[in-house]
Amino acid sequence: MINYTDKIPNNVDLGRDRVLQRALEHWQPAYLSWWYDMGPTDSNAYEVYLRTAISVEPDGWAQFDYVRMPEYRWGIFLQPRDEKRQVNFGVHKGQAAWQDVPGEYRSMLRRIIVTQGDTEPASVEQQKMLGMSCPSLYDLRNIFQVNVEEGRHLWAMVYLLHRYFGRDGREEAEALLARRSGDTDNPRILGAFNEPTPDWLAFYMFTFFTDRDGKFQLCALAESGFDPLSRTCRFMLTEEAHHMFVGETGVGRIIQRTCEVMKEHKVDDPVSVRALGVIDLQTIQRYLNFHYSVTLDLYGSDVSSNAANYFTTGLKGRFRETKLEDDHVLRDASYPVYEVIGNKIVAKQVPALTALNERLRDDYIGEIEDGVARWQRVIDTAGIPFRLTLPHKGFHRAIGNFAGHYISPDGEVLTEEAWKNHEAQWLPTPQDYAYVQSLMSGCVVEPGKFANWIAPPVRGINNQPLNFQYVRFN
Ligand SMILES: [Fe+2]
Ligand SMILES: [Fe+2]
């Protein structure tokens, strides 16, 4: 169980380590001042119907109550230790899992933790303004839930930095509060986390595509031979599931509403659809293309010696590592990656160890395809002849073998000029953003009411009715 009477709620017996406790109590006000500065705009007095974990068991989410977000009980929650756990892959396979940082891997491990940790506050910063244009109280509550949990994910990584990396770790923890999404001088580490999230369609796309990258990274780190990292990631994954739910159902509800209006008014061209105040399916497709492609870049280069090192050393595994049936060492295995040669995309077998980024990206794509197929069913059920498609994985890429090439969504290699001629069909234009923004000029805060451009969800949060007062304004 989690002890909420402590200043910093935790299940790691923080009180036993006075030095660590003091270091974290010192970081806590800095964190709060970051929240006041970069958390959701004007929200500090709101009482939000939030869930708080009462234990780390899968059913530990029993606690729902009204909370002012600055008073949210951010804390440190690790899955319980399995005394028999081993390093399950790489050259140390079969050793007991490490309870301390192996000295020779210290800087590599710190880099992994900092890179993961940096994404957490970044997404809160990206979503800061969206509460001002919420489509309903239900959606407002959901974005706030996502935001406080991303804040907690930062706590999770900062705990590891403070507990296991001494002074270097404390400095990194401060730097995590100093960088800012999109800042020219001190940006967040990864590209997608410096892109703006200007509207709610972008927010749902982000939580569907980019939070799912978070899931896959956390799954790979949950396999780590460094046991405290594994245990903290396992608990973070239970929080991540809700974020992806918000994204998938959010986009699904927008599609549903558009389809309803198209059917009711018997219109199908984007201009007529927009005239009815909903988002045309073509614009939804362009948003999808954008968020998918920038998220694919987060997995890194197709061929990467860093990825090989992370695996060989036992620090970062593959998706579902222990469920895979191979030697978990990969010394002789190969894996296909793609290259652009002339005007063709060709597959090439490379050592599997160096292709682990590509492999994780492929695992991710599999799950994305399933989600997009569920959105397609909404369109099919409405009887509308429109297909949502995932672009080719080389489309609009800035990192890896496709960077610098001009690939169409169908996977054709084009000249720069030919590609640019089609860009406005493939990626959101300034006019698209302006249109979507125009729909979201105010917020809908009457209980049970939803903006015209989105359908209500199937059910409320924690079995509450749709007209429940999910947020109280004070
Ligand atoms: Fe997160
Ligand atoms: Fe998340």
Side-chain angles (χ1 to χ4, degrees):
M1 291 299 274
I2 292 165
N3 185 354
Y4 278 102
T5 59
D6 288 344
K7 197 166 168 197
I8 299 171
N10 71 92
N11 69 348
V12 293
D13 210 358
L14 194 57
R16 216 183 36 188
D17 187 339
R18 302 294 300 163
V19 176
L20 173 64
Q21 190 179 22
R22 267 202 302 276
L24 282 165
E25 284 177 1
H26 185 73
W27 186 81
Q28 191 175 38
Y31 169 80
L32 265 181
S33 92
W34 167 81
W35 179 270
Y36 279 114
D37 191 20
M38 296 313 294
T41 299
D42 284 349
S43 66
N44 293 326
Y46 300 174
E47 293 177 316
V48 187
Y49 187 68
L50 294 177
R51 68 176 188 181
T52 303
I54 53 167
S55 85
V56 294
E57 301 307 318
D59 57 355
W61 286 108
Q63 182 91 10
F64 279 81
D65 208 350
Y66 288 98
V67 180
R68 287 190 180 85
M69 285 187 282
E71 290 159 23
Y72 186 77
R73 304 295 278 139
W74 285 291
I76 299 155
F77 315 124
L78 272 62
Q79 213 103 104
R81 180 170 162 194
D82 168 3
E83 305 282 339
K84 291 201 271 304
R85 187 164 180 269
Q86 298 186 336
V87 181
N88 294 312
F89 57 92
V91 292
H92 302 290
K93 183 170 174 279
Q95 295 178 6
W98 307 309
Q99 301 307 320
D100 278 301
V101 179
E104 67 271 40
Y105 303 150
R106 193 181 155 88
S107 64
M108 227 189 308
L109 192 54
R110 193 182 67 203
R111 189 187 155 87
I112 290 173
I113 293 168
V114 167
T115 306
Q116 178 61 41
D118 192 67
T119 65
E120 314 291 356
S123 64
V124 176
E125 293 164 3
Q126 289 168 293
Q127 296 159 16
K128 179 175 175 47
M129 299 298 294
L130 291 175
M132 316 299 282
S133 58
C134 65
S136 72
L137 282 184
Y138 166 90
D139 291 279
L140 185 62
R141 176 263 167 216
N142 281 351
I143 195 172
F144 289 159
Q145 182 76 59
V146 170
N147 291 158
V148 294
E149 286 174 2
E150 300 303 6
R152 208 208 63 76
H153 290 178
L154 173 60
W155 271 91
M157 294 297 115
V158 163
Y159 163 72
L160 295 176
L161 289 169
H162 274 221
R163 168 78 175 76
Y164 297 97
F165 294 88
R167 194 180 145 168
D168 297 352
R170 290 193 294 277
E171 283 170 7
E172 293 285 13
E174 277 169 37
L176 284 167
L177 296 175
R179 285 185 286 272
R180 289 286 181 274
S181 176
D183 192 283
T184 35
D185 298 326
N186 196 13
R188 292 294 170 186
I189 295 169
L190 299 169
F193 292 90
N194 288 302
E195 297 285 348
T197 308
D199 56 62
W200 281 78
L201 178 56
F203 166 67
Y204 296 128
M205 289 286 179
F206 184 96
T207 41
F208 177 80
F209 285 104
T210 311
D211 280 70
R212 194 178 311 275
D213 160 68
K215 168 190 165 171
F216 277 78
Q217 300 298 341
L218 292 176
C219 282
L221 296 177
E223 303 290 347
S224 182
F226 178 52
D227 203 42
L229 177 60
S230 166
R231 289 164 56 207
T232 196
C233 288
R234 283 173 206 279
F235 184 66
M236 289 163 77
L237 280 163
T238 70
E239 294 166 310
E240 210 59 72
H242 177 66
H243 308 178
M244 292 178 292
F245 161 84
V246 169
E248 179 169 335
T249 55
V251 175
R253 289 160 52 212
I254 292 177
I255 292 173
Q256 188 191 330
R257 180 65 188 142
T258 299
C259 290
E260 283 166 10
V261 169
M262 288 171 74
K263 252 172 76 173
E264 189 186 331
H265 296 268
K266 300 191 172 55
V267 293
D268 59 7
D269 67 293
V271 175
S272 315
V273 171
R274 285 189 180 190
L276 294 162
V278 294
I279 305 172
D280 51 293
L281 298 173
Q282 289 80 357
T283 297
I284 293 171
Q285 175 73 63
R286 286 192 285 276
Y287 270 65
L288 179 160
N289 293 349
F290 175 79
H291 286 272
Y292 178 60
S293 56
V294 299
T295 305
L296 288 184
D297 275 341
L298 289 174
Y299 291 85
S301 297
D302 316 47
V303 174
S304 161
S305 57
N306 272 345
N309 287 336
Y310 292 166
F311 183 84
T312 303
T313 53
L315 298 181
K316 183 178 178 183
R318 289 170 293 174
F319 183 55
R320 302 202 171 124
E321 182 69 47
T322 50
K323 307 260 162 27
L324 298 172
E325 289 187 16
D326 57 25
D327 66 359
H328 303 278
V329 181
L330 301 178
R331 209 166 287 134
D332 306 311
S334 61
Y335 194 84
V337 299
Y338 291 87
E339 275 182 349
V340 181
I341 295 176
N343 61 356
K344 286 211 160 42
I345 295 171
V346 290
K348 176 181 163 191
Q349 292 290 330
V350 299
L353 273 178
T354 63
L356 288 168
N357 286 343
E358 182 70 354
R359 180 179 178 130
L360 193 59
R361 182 163 30 233
D362 288 340
D363 289 331
Y364 166 83
I365 290 172
E367 213 177 271
I368 288 290
E369 284 169 343
D370 295 343
V372 173
R374 287 189 289 273
W375 290 339
Q376 183 64 44
R377 278 208 283 284
V378 177
I379 302 174
D380 294 345
T381 306
I384 288 169
F386 183 92
R387 284 217 71 74
L388 275 180
T389 51
L390 270 188
H392 187 275
K393 74 174 161 183
F395 171 74
H396 189 236
R397 291 287 304 283
I399 288 176
N401 289 350
F402 291 109
H405 294 284
Y406 292 89
I407 314 292
S408 76
D410 292 338
E412 264 185 285
V413 183
L414 302 179
T415 63
E416 179 173 0
E417 194 193 358
W419 194 92
K420 292 248 156 90
N421 283 338
H422 289 281
E423 186 175 356
Q425 286 156 260
W426 294 338
L427 289 171
T429 63
Q431 292 83 352
D432 290 338
Y433 285 121
Y435 173 67
V436 174
Q437 199 80 81
S438 75
L439 295 177
M440 302 176 191
S441 53
C443 38
V444 179
V445 294
E446 197 182 318
K449 283 267 184 299
F450 289 81
N452 180 57
W453 49 266
I454 190 166
V458 177
R459 64 185 67 81
I461 291 294
N462 194 31
N463 295 318
Q464 297 291 357
L466 290 187
N467 63 2
F468 185 72
Q469 186 82 44
Y470 287 104
V471 180
R472 292 182 190 144
F473 303 95
N474 289 309

